[in-house]
Amino acid sequence: MSRIGKQPVELPSGVTASVSGQTVEVKGPKGAKSFTATDDVTIAVEDNVITVTPRGKSKRARQQWGMSRTMVANLVHGVTNTFKKELEIRGVGYRAQLQGNVLKLNLGLSHDVDFEIPEGVVVTVPKQTEIIVEGHDAQQVGQVAANIREWRRPEPYKGKGIRYKDEYIFQKEGKKK
C-alpha cells in the first residue's frame, strides 16, 4: 500500500478540477494546469476531493499510484501558490546579478556565465550571494535551480560554489604535512 497514494487531495476554495480519461485539469486563481496519468491508475473527483487508486496489484501500478497522487497535489498547489527554491553562492568573488531576463554569474571562470531564464519561472537576486527561483510548476522550478547549481557545484574542501539554502556539504580534510 502506498502511504502517499492513499491520501486524497483536497481542493481549496476557488479551485476546480475535472477529469477526462486519464487527464486531470485543475483551474485556480493563478491559472490552469493539467497532468496526464498512465493507464495504471484511476483518478476520480468527488466533493472537492481528488482520489487516485491503482488498477490491479502490479508493481508498476503501485509505483504510479503514489507518483500520480503527488503530481495531482503539485497541480493543486501550483494554481494557488508558488514553488520556491533558494540558492546561495559561497566563494571569494562569486556573485550573481540580474539583467532583464538574464542571470549573470561570476563564478571564478575565465568568462561570465549568462543564464537565460525560461518562461514561467521568476528569478530574483536579493543579495549578490542569494538567488531565489519561483514558479507555478514544481518540476520546472527544480530543474532551473539544478541548472544554475550545475555551473559551479559546491566542492568538498572549502565548500565554494552554488548550493541550496539548507544543503549540508561534507567537508573533507586537506592534505596532511
Side-chain angles (χ1 to χ4, degrees):
M1 292 292 285
S2 173
R3 293 180 188 186
I4 294 172
K6 283 191 282 187
Q7 300 170 356
V9 179
E10 294 190 24
L11 297 174
S13 61
V15 176
T16 59
S18 62
V19 177
S20 62
Q22 290 299 99
T23 303
V24 182
E25 187 169 353
V26 180
K27 293 180 183 172
K30 306 248 176 159
K33 297 270 182 200
S34 65
F35 167 69
T36 304
T38 61
D39 292 332
D40 298 313
V41 294
T42 305
I43 301 174
V45 178
E46 301 159 355
D47 302 328
N48 286 337
V49 173
I50 302 174
T51 55
V52 180
T53 54
R55 291 183 186 169
K57 296 192 183 269
S58 68
K59 183 175 181 180
R60 180 168 164 76
R62 287 181 284 133
Q63 290 171 341
Q64 295 296 316
W65 183 19
M67 192 272 307
S68 298
R69 188 263 178 209
T70 303
M71 293 297 287
V72 170
N74 284 348
L75 292 181
V76 172
H77 184 274
V79 297
T80 56
N81 302 318
T82 58
F83 291 95
K84 182 178 184 180
K85 290 273 187 184
E86 296 181 22
L87 301 166
E88 62 182 28
I89 301 173
R90 288 200 187 163
V92 177
Y94 290 11
R95 61 182 160 271
Q97 59 187 15
L98 198 59
Q99 291 182 346
N101 199 28
V102 175
L103 180 67
K104 287 196 166 289
L105 300 168
N106 294 19
L107 300 172
L109 301 171
S110 63
H111 61 286
D112 289 349
V113 175
D114 292 340
F115 184 80
E116 241 349 273
I117 300 169
E119 192 81 21
V121 175
V122 177
V123 174
T124 54
V125 182
K127 294 184 196 172
Q128 287 185 339
T129 58
E130 285 184 17
I131 302 169
I132 298 173
V133 181
E134 292 179 303
H136 296 289
D137 187 0
Q139 192 277 331
Q140 190 178 22
V141 167
Q143 188 63 53
V144 168
N147 289 347
I148 293 171
R149 182 180 183 270
E150 194 67 28
W151 279 102
R152 183 68 90 173
R153 283 198 231 130
E155 53 95 19
Y157 294 101
K158 292 184 180 178
K160 294 166 39 173
I162 302 174
R163 64 174 75 189
Y164 295 109
K165 187 75 169 194
D166 296 323
E167 182 180 9
Y168 175 75
I169 305 298
F170 180 75
Q171 298 277 316
K172 290 183 180 178
E173 190 174 336
K175 191 173 179 180
K176 296 201 176 182
K177 289 187 176 184

